[in-house]
Amino acid sequence: MPPHAFADRPAGQPPERGAVDALISQTRRLLGDVDAVRRESVMTDETNPESRWQRALYELAVHQLSDLDRHLAQLREGPDPLAGLPAQRVTATPPPGSLLSRVGSAEWNLLTDEATWSGELYQILGRDPGAPALTLDELPALVHADDQPKLTAMVTDCLIDGKPIDGEFRVVRPDGSARTVHMMGEPVLDADGATASMWAVVRDVSELRRSQRAVSETRDSLQRQRHIAQTEHRLAVELQEAVLPPWRGSLRLPHSGPGGLDLAARYFPSSVGNLVGGDWYDALELPGGRTLLTVGDLTGHGVAVTSGMAMLLGAVRGMAMCDTPPGELLGSLNHLLDSSGQPALGSALCCRYDPAARTLAWAQAGHPAPLLFRDGTGRALTPPDGVLLGATSGADYGQAEEPLRAGDLLLLHTDGLVPQRGSTAAGRLLALAEPLTAARDAQDCVRVLQDEFGRGEREDDACVLVARIGS
């Protein structure tokens, strides 16, 4: 290949040994710090996309810092003493492990057509160190067929236009394995400014690119999982709201007379993860002017559980229309869900209000008791005698009755309404007795609850139903 002339460029000065030692020390400190943080921070759940992505990213960082440490060490040690010898005199093999710890170098003399390779380059390319180094014309024979045009273009631009070489391509070693190498090089000029030779360094970046692909793939997997979770969450919320009764404000039942109910309810969706479950509320006017009030939840989360709620509400309404008492209704509902497999009943509260007698008959299945607010104070209703928190299939749940007055306020809620459960949850709700009893109607009561519990992140969904006894 004939030489070409172009503008010369000043050569850089080699770094001082002390400066390189300082860089090596800094790199090793940083490598130790990154490795320590990796061991403390990375989750070990292989099924978690975020855990896999974190591990891949830490491994890439450690890999790059390790490469930097090795390259700085090689810079401090100086070039391979065999690098300047003619190819046929290269007989030594670099020590094991140097494939990734050192960089191979080569020079091609355009005047004599002589090629000189370092021992590291022979190992990177999988060549016999006793064999002659390949000339520039022979070099493409080692390169993957798809990447040969890229190498030819880089070498041509370097020799003709003086452009530096900086690119990657795949080489196929004699054993058939493929490696990805990164070549950086530039022309060497003679005294007249003509191209006399080309010098290059070659680094095996196969493992580095593997680590980068792992980061990219795990990141894409994590993004897909998050997108799927967000989509499922949105669909579950939409389905939940579609299945629940269509009314969103106060509801006055069409045939309610004296002592009727002013009703309002609200669904509080979860805001964290994909934890939309099978929480429900319902109100239904029954024959004879009585009213069915229910809240509860199914076990599990997601679209499948939410879709099962339609079956549950249909079953509850059907049994209530047949004048089934609350305790017996819960027993039959438990038996129905046990027979269908999934979803399973988590908890439920079933109430039947009789406006003529102003009494509330109710039963619970592992659920908070209704709260009664009257004259500025509140209390939880006393559970029925013999209440069963996990009745066997076909068994009836205990049932209690509570006399009510005009102006009384009933509050039915699922467990997730407040972060804490049990007495703490009831305590926070009962502390709202004054604003709840002072509210103009049931819808205003729901607004009080929204102001108290509707802000911030919610780990689980919840339902609340408020009923005020008319005069």
Side-chain angles (χ1 to χ4, degrees), residues 15-25 71-73 75-77:
E16 296 182 3
R17 184 178 180 87
V20 176
D21 284 338
L23 289 174
I24 292 174
S25 297
H71 298 156
L72 289 173
L75 184 64
R76 179 183 59 187
E77 295 164 7

Side-chain angles (χ1 to χ4, degrees), residues 43-114:
M43 298 179 289
T44 58
D45 184 3
E46 291 295 328
T47 64
N48 188 323
E50 184 173 357
S51 176
R52 294 196 299 267
W53 170 75
Q54 286 180 350
R55 186 182 63 258
L57 202 55
Y58 273 115
E59 288 179 355
L60 175 60
V62 170
H63 190 103
Q64 290 176 319
L65 287 171
S66 298
D67 271 1
L68 177 60
D69 175 47
R70 293 167 183 143
H71 298 156
L72 289 173
Q74 185 178 357
L75 184 64
R76 179 183 59 187
E77 295 164 7
D80 186 340
L82 301 176
L85 300 178
Q88 61 269 23
R89 295 176 59 187
V90 177
T91 58
T93 301
S98 65
L99 175 62
L100 296 179
S101 63
R102 296 183 67 86
V103 176
S105 61
E107 186 168 357
W108 291 273
N109 189 311
L110 304 181
L111 302 178
T112 64
D113 205 29
E114 182 181 51

Side-chain angles (χ1 to χ4, degrees), residues 126-152:
R127 303 281 293 178
D128 180 0
L134 300 184
T135 65
L136 283 177
D137 291 333
E138 296 170 331
L139 186 62
L142 297 179
V143 179
H144 192 284
D146 294 341
D147 295 345
Q148 289 177 4
K150 181 191 300 184
L151 174 64
T152 300

